[in-house]
Amino acid sequence: MSAALSRENWNDRARSLSYRNQCFIGNRFVSAASGRTFTSTNPATGKPLTQVSAGDKEDVDRAVKAARAAFDKGVWSRIAGAERKKVLLRFADLMEKHATELALLETLDIGKPIGDSSSVDVPLSIQCIRWYAEAIDKIYDEIAPTEPNAISLIRREPLGVVGAVIPWNFPLLMGSWKIGPALATGNSMVVKPAEQSPLSMLRLAELAAEAGVPEGVFNVVPGYGETAGQALGRHMDVDAITFTGSTEVGKFFLRYSGESNMKQVSLECGGKTPNIIMADAPNLDAAAEAAAWGIFFNQGEVCNAGSRLIVEESVKDAVLEKIRKVAQILQPGDPLDPKTKMGAMVDETQMNRVLGYIEAGSKEGAKLAFGGKRVRSETGGYYIEPTVFDGVKNSMKIAQEEIFGPVLSTITFKDPADAVKIGNDTVYGLAAAVWTSDINKAFKTSAALRAGVVWVNCFDNGHISSPFGGFKQSGFGRDKSLHAMDKYTQLKATWINIS
Ligand code: NAP
Ligand code: MG
């Protein structure tokens, strides 16, 4: 779509871009009831992009009412799956038509490289919407094998009003993982994007309306987590919350639910992915290269980032040497330059948080192998160079806590059982990887790792048909695949006696 655009082209487009910056409720843009706004900043320069309506309780309530009204009318919830499919396919086509604009919004708002937003975030989001659109008229309900004098129809019904609360690292893609299955199954939605990244979601909602998603079905309330997010979590007329974000905030949503209407909650939370490289990896160079990309991609702001390199002692030096080489081509640059592989951290707070972890690593006695500093500060932006610690103990803060930045902790092991033990020794269980040529070791290790996805001889591979989500405090419920439908539907058994 945009492969041919140069840095100048992207900058020209950025200058002429207009922003949607109000709440989107009932297919219209409206200011927050309070009239308040917050600043959306470009982390590549530290300069403001636009003022965005700061939605709060009253706005969430308006959006939930619009969503409920649409749901009850049945304009979306009770039409044929094939009809919803038509609208959602049109929606995906419109996303494709406006792909460069969406990619640009994503890059300007959060500082990720334009090459990534246009080749990863936007196309995968479009694919996701299409996939659920295509799926929805091919799913059958069930009839239970009861005695012959009865029929028990087991049907999936949409839940009603779904609140989606999403993070800033992949706003469009994490949003699409929820919007696709929630809308395909007939729900109405209220989406609360992260305060750092509201712009692409607001444009997306407008495109959905243009595609024919009826009024009130897809609403977006930008605003702060503690206000708008909490209001959604505690709303008495929201049937479910689908959340992606930190474990800490995920736990808040469980509390909100318990203290309000017991709404269903599904949580995609943090991670501390162990990337286990055994000495008999089929190709050590490839493993090391994947390890580098696995932690530095998207500035390390990835829930399943391979932040713990658990490597067999005998090959550690060779692996780190290769990672160092790859890191050289991943030095941060201007996100609007198509050649840039690593952009800016999402904001100043996140940058300082990551720098704080780097300091903590050194203080605890880990050895800084390379990187560790803020760079390009003359741009006003928030860049951190790829950073690797050697000699890390798994008990250290940098091995236990999610840093959400380009910081790799290297831990060595001598025998595979140890690797699994270290791998499992955090509160998280989102993803894991193991590299080995031995099929027995590969299978045993992947079975013993407590994670929602385990990659064997690869890292971060996936497909919309394969489920994604965590074990332990990485959450519960799955995004992607037909299993995601479970989060947005409830089963109703209709028992018919045959006399
Ligand atoms: P976050 O701070 O937990 O925020 C996530 C969302 O929750 C945002 O929309 C945020 O709004 C809102 N929120 C914050 N405090 C809240 C509160 N007290 N009540 C209600 N809502 C609240 O996470 P983030 O910093 O945006 O994203 C990074 C995290 O997301 C990492 O932990 C990462 O691992 C996780 N993540 C997980 C997955 C996955 O699939 N498992 C994928 C991507 C990211 P504000 O921004 O306005 O505060
Ligand atoms: Mg921003």
Side-chain angles (χ1 to χ4, degrees):
M1 90 181 143
S2 48
L5 293 182
S6 67
R7 180 177 174 174
E8 289 68 35
N9 295 149
W10 282 111
N11 273 292
D12 286 345
R13 282 173 188 239
R15 275 189 289 273
S16 57
L17 196 62
S18 64
Y19 301 108
R20 309 301 184 271
N21 52 13
Q22 292 170 291
C23 308
F24 191 77
I25 299 174
N27 282 8
R28 285 192 313 125
F29 284 108
V30 289
S31 297
S34 68
R36 289 209 187 92
T37 59
F38 63 93
T39 307
S40 157
T41 305
N42 179 355
T45 59
K47 295 211 178 80
L49 291 166
T50 182
Q51 290 294 315
V52 181
S53 294
D56 201 339
K57 207 169 167 184
E58 211 177 319
D59 310 288
V60 165
D61 192 49
R62 268 197 292 171
V64 172
K65 285 201 171 96
R68 176 61 62 191
F71 188 79
D72 288 350
K73 261 192 258 163
V75 288
W76 184 253
S77 53
R78 290 197 297 272
I79 62 173
E83 289 303 310
R84 288 199 294 270
K85 164 176 155 174
K86 264 192 229 161
V87 175
L88 291 176
L89 288 178
R90 246 188 338 254
F91 176 33
D93 289 346
L94 281 172
M95 288 168 74
E96 192 150 35
K97 184 172 159 199
H98 297 281
T100 50
E101 182 191 352
L102 291 171
L104 197 50
L105 284 170
E106 211 72 319
T107 284
L108 290 173
D109 215 2
I110 57 176
K112 68 167 69 195
I114 193 69
D116 289 351
S117 22
S118 49
S119 70
V120 179
D121 301 61
V122 174
L124 290 183
S125 301
I126 297 168
Q127 182 204 40
C128 172
I129 301 293
R130 281 209 180 108
W131 196 83
Y132 287 102
E134 287 290 358
I136 198 60
D137 62 350
K138 296 170 192 69
I139 296 171
Y140 291 70
D141 286 325
E142 300 163 33
I143 295 179
T146 58
E147 293 82 19
N149 61 351
I151 296 176
S152 174
L153 296 174
I154 303 173
R155 305 189 63 197
R156 277 173 188 270
E157 292 189 351
L159 293 172
V161 178
V162 172
V165 178
I166 52 182
W168 46 257
N169 59 342
F170 293 89
L172 275 176
L173 188 58
M174 297 303 102
S176 298
W177 285 3
K178 303 186 185 311
I179 294 162
L183 290 187
T185 46
N187 296 281
S188 294
M189 297 188 85
V190 178
V191 180
K192 207 297 278 174
E195 141 213 348
Q196 294 90 341
S197 59
L199 300 179
S200 57
M201 190 50 64
L202 288 167
R203 182 70 177 115
L204 199 68
E206 191 182 31
L207 293 178
E210 189 182 334
V213 172
E215 194 180 304
V217 170
F218 182 15
N219 310 278
V220 180
V221 180
Y224 296 106
E226 270 179 30
T227 52
Q230 174 157 201
L232 198 56
R234 291 188 182 276
H235 202 288
M236 293 301 286
D237 202 28
V238 169
D239 298 287
I241 286 285
T242 172
F243 171 82
T244 297
S246 61
T247 291
E248 185 191 356
V249 176
K251 289 180 182 180
F252 285 152
F253 278 97
L254 291 173
R255 177 146 28 104
Y256 300 156
S257 168
E259 289 173 0
S260 59
N261 63 343
M262 219 195 247
K263 57 180 67 64
Q264 185 173 307
V265 176
S266 56
L267 303 173
E268 297 276 2
C269 297
K272 198 72 198 173
T273 298
N275 185 9
I276 301 175
I277 301 184
M278 311 238 182
D280 64 356
N283 178 339
L284 264 188
D285 255 16
E289 192 171 342
W293 280 98
I295 181 63
F296 302 134
F297 171 65
N298 210 53
Q299 303 72 243
E301 297 163 329
V302 180
C303 50
N304 59 252
S307 51
R308 288 184 301 149
L309 172 65
I310 301 177
V311 56
E312 198 157 340
E313 207 167 83
S314 58
V315 295
K316 190 250 304 178
D317 289 340
V319 167
L320 283 190
E321 192 43 41
K322 176 72 185 180
I323 291 178
R324 181 197 297 274
K325 282 195 187 128
V326 179
Q328 275 158 12
I329 56 163
L330 294 179
Q331 293 301 314
D334 175 4
L336 283 182
D337 184 341
K339 290 197 283 292
T340 293
K341 304 283 182 234
M342 209 168 116
M345 306 306 296
V346 75
D347 61 14
E348 193 171 10
T349 309
Q350 183 62 13
M351 176 185 71
N352 288 332
R353 206 172 147 249
V354 174
L355 292 172
Y357 274 110
I358 294 173
E359 206 182 315
S362 297
K363 270 201 189 132
E364 274 193 291
K367 181 176 161 254
L368 186 63
F370 60 85
K373 291 189 304 296
R374 177 182 185 181
V375 288
R376 293 172 59 81
S377 55
E378 70 287 355
T379 61
Y382 315 119
Y383 301 87
I384 297 182
E385 51 187 352
T387 299
V388 172
F389 277 104
D390 192 0
V392 176
K393 292 198 182 68
N394 201 53
S395 57
M396 289 178 182
K397 195 176 158 90
I398 54 168
Q400 287 294 316
E401 295 181 19
E402 187 179 41
I403 299 175
F404 228 57
V407 182
L408 181 67
S409 296
T410 309
I411 302 160
T412 53
F413 69 89
K414 284 194 179 133
D415 89 86
D418 263 357
V420 169
K421 214 192 269 164
I422 299 166
N424 283 336
D425 182 20
T426 73
V427 298
Y428 298 111
L430 187 57
V434 53
W435 300 77
T436 172
S437 306
D438 180 335
I439 183 76
N440 296 307
K441 265 201 296 190
F443 188 77
K444 281 186 190 156
T445 309
S446 53
L449 284 165
R450 296 190 61 206
V453 51
V454 183
W455 293 292
V456 177
N457 295 333
C458 61
F459 194 89
D460 202 10
N461 292 36
H463 189 263
I464 185 66
S465 61
S466 186
F468 184 85
F471 282 23
K472 294 153 72 184
Q473 291 189 40
S474 292
F476 48 84
R478 294 291 178 268
D479 279 329
K480 303 169 74 183
S481 83
L482 293 180
H483 295 284
M485 305 284 200
D486 295 344
K487 299 207 295 202
Y488 305 106
T489 54
Q490 54 198 341
L491 292 181
K492 179 183 278 177
T494 306
W495 185 281
I496 304 171
N497 256 354
I498 312 281
S499 54

